[in-house]
């Protein structure tokens, strides 16, 4: 997730990115090598943005076991609500609670709760001192009163959340299937978006989709320039996306 890189850079950090496997999964060797460099801060998003891939319980344990003593682990569960029903998805809080080391779990109301516009989320940390340190450097007006009220109301409506998660999972499975049937490579997603290798320059595909009224993100990092990330929507909107994408790909054989 780009801000895991941007904010540390703003603070003068040297950022080391850990690659994924060719299948867009967790690369245990790459993580071992990166952790051996002695990072002070380790960001891990589970599920991962942009791939939607999920780290299973055993994989999370391996990363935690390899953390240097000096490292603060930040486990970003922005899409955790979508992944929780997937077999093997670890409850990050449960996993980290047992540890005698500093950690923070990040959650947000921007994704499964659908409240991105109100800008509210929360962190759960290993100890009081860490929370106080964050409190000293946070901006003074960071979460406004209506946002806090909205968050509390959202927490009080688990049925709405469960319905959103259930409907999203159905659409993720349905749209993934349609795109794979059309010959596209789709990363298995435990989130509410899909990472798709279109086999064509992603910038071109995204521009064509935009002309048709569909906005996706084209990937520009070396090695991924044929990939797009698309957040899913209602079944009707998703059908428009599938039709436009398959039309573009049929027209422009690489
Ligand atoms: C992994 C991850 N963490 C955090 C965020 C941002 O969440 P918020 O809207 O709460 O700032 C995003 C948004 O795309 C994300 O993908």
């Amino acid at each position: 997730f780009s801000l895991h890189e941007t904010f540390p850079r703003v603070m003068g950090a040297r950022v080391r990115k850990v690659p994924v496997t060719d299948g867009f999964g967790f690369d245990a060797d790459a993580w071992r090598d990166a952790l051996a460099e002695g990072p002070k801060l380790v960001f891990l998003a589970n599920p991962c943005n942009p791939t939607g891939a999920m780290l299973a319980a055993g994989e999370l344990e391996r990363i935690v076991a390899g953390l240097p003593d000096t490292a603060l682990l930040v486990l970003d569960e922005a899409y955790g609500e979508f992944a929780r029903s997937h077999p093997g998805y670890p409850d990050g809080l449960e996993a980290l609670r047992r540890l005698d080391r500093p950690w923070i779990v990040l959650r947000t109301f921007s994704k499964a709760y659908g409240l991105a516009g109100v800008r509210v989320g929360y962190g759960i940390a290993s100890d009081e001192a860490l929370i106080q340190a964050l409190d000293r450097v946070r901006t003074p007006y960071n979460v406004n009163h209506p946002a806090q009220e909205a968050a509390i109301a959202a927490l009080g409506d688990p049925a709405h959340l469960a319905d959103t998660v259930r409907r999203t999972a159905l659409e993720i499975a349905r749209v993934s299937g349609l795109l794979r049937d059309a010959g596209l490579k789709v990363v298995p997603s435990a989130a509410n978006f899909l990472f798709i290798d279109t086999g064509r320059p992603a910038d071109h595909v995204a521009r064509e989709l935009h002309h048709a009224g569909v906005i996706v993100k084209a990937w520009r990092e070396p090695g991924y320039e044929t990939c797009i990330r698309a957040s899913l929507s209602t079944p009707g909107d998703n059908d428009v996306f599938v039709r436009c994408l398959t039309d573009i790909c049929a027209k422009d054989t690489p």
Side-chain angles (χ1 to χ4, degrees), residues 1 4 45 47 49 76 78-79 107-111 116 119-121:
F1 172 50
H4 291 169
N49 175 10
D76 185 338
Y79 300 93
R107 307 246 174 98
T108 179
F109 290 90
S110 293
K111 313 299 179 187
R119 313 302 310 134
V120 57

Side-chain angles (χ1 to χ4, degrees), residues 115 117-120 143-154:
L115 294 176
V118 298
R119 313 302 310 134
V120 57
V143 180
N144 65 42
H145 184 74
Q148 293 179 42
E149 290 293 331
I152 290 166

Side-chain angles (χ1 to χ4, degrees), residues 171 174-175 178-179 209 212-214 234-248:
E171 280 303 283
R174 187 180 74 86
V175 173
L178 290 172
L179 294 176
L209 282 169
V214 178
T234 58
D237 283 353
N238 295 338
D239 283 340
V240 173
F241 163 61
V242 170
R243 198 176 55 244
C244 292
L245 181 58
T246 49
D247 281 356
I248 291 164

Side-chain angles (χ1 to χ4, degrees), residues 18 23 41 56 65 86 92 97 101 111 114 125 147 163 197 219-220 249-250:
V18 184
L41 189 60
H86 285 249
R97 233 178 213 145
R101 57 165 313 113
K111 313 299 179 187
D163 187 49
D197 189 349
W219 234 253
R220 299 213 168 99
C249 291

Side-chain angles (χ1 to χ4, degrees), residues 153-186:
L155 288 175
D157 192 356
H160 179 71
L161 176 70
D163 187 49
T164 306
V165 168
R166 183 187 59 80
R167 286 189 290 122
T168 303
L170 288 174
E171 280 303 283
I172 287 282
R174 187 180 74 86
V175 173
S176 301
L178 290 172
L179 294 176
R180 287 192 189 114
D181 288 349
L184 297 171
K185 193 167 154 193
V186 184

